[in-house]
Amino acid sequence: IINQEAAGEQNRTYIARSTLVYPLPDGSSQNAILFIRESGAFKLGEGDLKTVDLYAGLAGLALRQNDMRRLDITRRRGLEKVLQLLRFDNSALEESDPGSFVAHLANILPSKSRAIAFARNENGSYRATAGHRVEPGDLDDFEIMPGEGIIGEVAVGHETKFVSGRSNVNEAVQSFDPSNRDAFQRIFGESGLPGLLAACPVGTADGIEGVVLFFLFDVDESEKGEWQRLLTLAAGLYSVRLTIAQFHQTTPVVPAAVDTEFWGEAINRLNNHLSAIIGNAELASIASDLSGETVNHFKSIIAEAEQAARFGRKLMDQAASKNFPDTGNTNPPRDLNSVIGSVLDKSHISDALHMVGGRPREIVIDTTESIGVDLEEGVVRSLFEEAIDRFASVAEDEDLLTVSTYQADGYVYLDISRHRKNFPPVEKVAGFGEYQAAGEALKHRPADTYLEHAASGDCDYAFDRYTPSPSYLSFRFPVKKTAAEPTQAAVSPPRVLAIDDQTVILDLISAMCQASGYQVTTAASGEEGLQLALSQEFDIILTDLSMPGMSGLEVAREVIKSRPDVPIVLITGWEVDIDRSRLTASGITQVLYKPFRIEQLTEMIRNLTAARSRP
């Protein structure tokens, strides 16, 4: 309470104004509610304090709602731009000049923000080529030497870096050459130092093409996290676009001329970006304060990033089959959804259109989780290819096709159904279908040759028996057998060691594990990871394949000498470079391919650690 006195008649003093400052109960030291009384001092009893506290609570709620609304707008506007970067269009590929990345994001940045695009020169220096809210003359002769400042840092690490707070931004600016410091100060002008600096590298398989600096002024603390997420996603996606554009423009070469190490590193870098995009979008989508529209945006990001990963994998598979010598490698079995996705990728025309049954068909894919079945991948692939082809060939021209997978009552279901555009799809067949063993069904329906594949395993079959052209087919498989769950009453959470030289992947794995209740320790190199693996107890070890110095295979070979019972999972972004015999000899238990979902990681950890007892 602040009382302001004044002098009246006969110089007698009185309280002219009394001000009550009451901090809001929102954990912030900056927000408060202000009461003013024009005459007389505030005198608060217990009842008065309760009333003031009520007003303060209402004010805090109003501020939080305003913040959430502002953040929601930021998310929506930013995610629209992110989604534009995800929509791959081979006829309109982006230029490698990072200035086009600045132009793409310019209209979503806060009003006072500035940005500078630096393109990489052949000698390793970086030249300012474009800007946002920057005078063209301020970019003349603006050049950053190799390794200089934060630009040099992100160019080497290939990861977006953020600096928050004016004092920290000033320190980052001071790391540049004096002439470049002056250039930054001229660009900041009367606005002074920004509250948030983002340094975003953009590049292709060949390496970094440039670095974009974003300077955000007067950004609220609650908004900084959103801007960090959006700029990280956008920079990663832009690099993915450039990389895939490069794949399209690459002329096929003879096998002897292929640099397998180069392409392996290229696809691994691309999948690092996609892993960060998918993982960050998943973690962001589970926040409790998001609107339904924003959650759907995040789901769109996940779906389209996974499509981009399949697209990149398809390109590399084609390159491998045409250009790379056959090393006898075999891919490990994928889950049911991955097999379905790879089959539909081959028939994909555009958007939801696929060439199946001899003509273009619109297919809706409803697969929401990773599902394993006890059937060889080749058998599942042949079964689905023939079933979707046969089903589509007898469907009406106006029909939409839906492919869905789900689990119920200890079984995995694969439904293929059809319906008209303005009608709802067929419900889950598990709830009403009449199933029989696929071998028995084949005896009565020999024309349905896809049942030959289903009959080779433990598979049941149901179909619409009441219409000339079935409205659905359904296949039922037993859930893939996994190690038994621990039976003890109290089980400590799995202890995970994650080893990767890419900070973005380590942060992603750490966040995913923590969200699932696992204990996680990280190591930024093979050497550091090996030291931790031998000095501490872990229930599972996750290691990247390609790292400077000691590779993931070398780490695994050393670990199993002393810890032969610890499951070791190899994380990689390039399937065609995996030799299964080498993996087995190195003690690798399983391979996790980038990009991966939270449920894929957690299911794998749960299955591999279920049979291990802990003290």
Side-chain angles (χ1 to χ4, degrees), residues 405-589:
T405 60
Y406 52 93
Q407 292 191 48
D409 302 324
Y411 288 95
V412 172
Y413 291 84
L414 164 59
D415 292 350
I416 305 174
S417 61
R418 62 185 177 90
H419 63 95
R420 295 299 168 89
K421 200 159 210 173
N422 295 324
F423 288 83
V426 175
E427 296 181 0
K428 293 180 178 179
V429 182
F432 60 86
E434 300 177 23
Y435 289 87
Q436 64 180 136
E440 287 298 314
L442 181 60
K443 294 177 183 179
H444 304 288
R445 304 180 63 83
D448 294 339
T449 54
Y450 51 81
L451 289 174
E452 296 176 1
H453 305 292
S456 67
D458 188 5
C459 175
D460 296 330
Y461 175 63
F463 66 98
D464 181 3
R465 304 166 184 264
Y466 305 105
T467 58
S469 298
S471 62
Y472 66 82
L473 308 178
S474 181
F475 302 91
R476 182 173 72 181
F477 312 90
V479 174
K480 187 174 182 180
K481 297 179 180 66
T482 59
E485 294 291 337
T487 57
Q488 56 263 44
V491 179
S492 60
R495 294 161 295 190
V496 181
L497 171 62
I499 309 170
D500 200 303
D501 64 311
Q502 296 294 314
T503 303
V504 65
I505 299 299
L506 280 184
D507 290 345
L508 175 63
I509 293 175
S510 181
M512 286 181 169
C513 287
Q514 290 172 6
S516 302
Y518 303 154
Q519 300 177 21
V520 60
T521 302
T522 60
S525 69
E527 293 82 358
E528 181 186 357
L530 177 59
Q531 183 179 4
L532 286 170
L534 298 181
S535 61
Q536 299 182 29
E537 293 290 335
F538 294 99
D539 297 300
I540 187 170
I541 296 174
L542 314 175
T543 178
D544 186 32
L545 171 61
S546 178
M547 295 181 289
M550 180 174 282
S551 71
L553 291 180
E554 291 174 310
V555 171
R557 281 196 293 268
E558 293 300 317
V559 169
I560 61 171
K561 293 177 183 179
S562 303
R563 312 271 195 216
D565 60 329
V566 177
I568 303 176
V569 176
L570 192 71
I571 300 178
T572 182
W574 193 29
E575 296 182 33
V576 296
D577 197 35
I578 300 297
D579 185 333
R580 298 299 296 178
S581 62
R582 288 180 62 202
L583 298 184
T584 303
S586 299
I588 299 298
T589 307

Side-chain angles (χ1 to χ4, degrees), residues 300-460:
S300 298
I301 283 181
I302 294 168
E304 296 200 49
E306 288 180 331
Q307 180 181 348
R310 290 194 295 269
F311 179 62
R313 185 184 298 118
K314 182 178 179 182
L315 286 175
M316 292 306 297
D317 286 345
Q318 292 172 349
S321 62
K322 293 178 181 178
N323 300 325
F324 298 149
D326 183 10
T327 60
N329 295 347
T330 58
N331 290 331
R334 300 180 186 174
D335 62 62
L336 178 60
N337 292 341
S338 296
V339 174
I340 291 172
S342 65
V343 170
L344 293 179
D345 279 345
K346 292 181 179 179
S347 65
H348 185 249
I349 301 173
S350 65
D351 297 326
L353 286 179
H354 295 76
M355 182 63 72
V356 290
R359 52 188 165 175
R361 285 288 191 185
E362 189 170 345
I363 298 180
V364 177
I365 304 171
D366 182 15
T367 57
T368 58
E369 57 182 318
S370 174
I371 304 178
V373 295
D374 274 328
L375 206 61
E376 292 183 8
E377 178 183 335
V379 174
V380 176
R381 182 182 299 276
S382 299
L383 168 62
F384 179 67
E385 284 178 335
E386 294 184 24
I388 189 72
D389 223 40
R390 175 70 183 280
F391 188 78
S393 67
V394 298
E396 299 291 336
D397 290 341
E398 299 83 3
D399 287 342
L400 293 177
L401 305 188
T402 297
V403 176
S404 59
T405 60
Y406 52 93
Q407 292 191 48
D409 302 324
Y411 288 95
V412 172
Y413 291 84
L414 164 59
D415 292 350
I416 305 174
S417 61
R418 62 185 177 90
H419 63 95
R420 295 299 168 89
K421 200 159 210 173
N422 295 324
F423 288 83
V426 175
E427 296 181 0
K428 293 180 178 179
V429 182
F432 60 86
E434 300 177 23
Y435 289 87
Q436 64 180 136
E440 287 298 314
L442 181 60
K443 294 177 183 179
H444 304 288
R445 304 180 63 83
D448 294 339
T449 54
Y450 51 81
L451 289 174
E452 296 176 1
H453 305 292
S456 67
D458 188 5
C459 175
D460 296 330

Side-chain angles (χ1 to χ4, degrees), residues 47-60:
D48 298 322
L49 283 173
K50 289 181 178 179
T51 302
V52 171
D53 192 59
L54 175 62
Y55 278 113
L58 292 173

Side-chain angles (χ1 to χ4, degrees), residues 77-155:
R77 292 175 62 209
L79 291 175
E80 284 296 337
K81 288 294 182 179
V82 168
L83 288 172
Q84 288 175 23
L85 290 172
L86 270 168
R87 294 175 184 131
F88 291 90
D89 180 358
N90 299 336
S91 64
L93 299 170
E94 271 77 1
E95 300 177 358
S96 60
D97 186 343
S100 58
F101 177 58
V102 173
H104 182 78
L105 297 181
N107 65 350
I108 70 164
L109 296 172
S111 59
K112 295 182 180 181
S113 300
R114 293 169 174 76
I116 309 173
F118 292 88
R120 188 178 187 276
N121 297 320
E122 290 185 3
N123 65 355
S125 63
Y126 291 83
R127 182 186 73 263
T129 58
H132 169 63
R133 290 179 55 85
V134 176
E135 295 296 329
D138 289 337
L139 301 181
D140 293 343
D141 302 321
F142 196 171
E143 187 169 354
I144 306 297
M145 291 296 102
E148 183 181 345
I150 194 172
I151 291 179
E153 290 181 41
V154 300

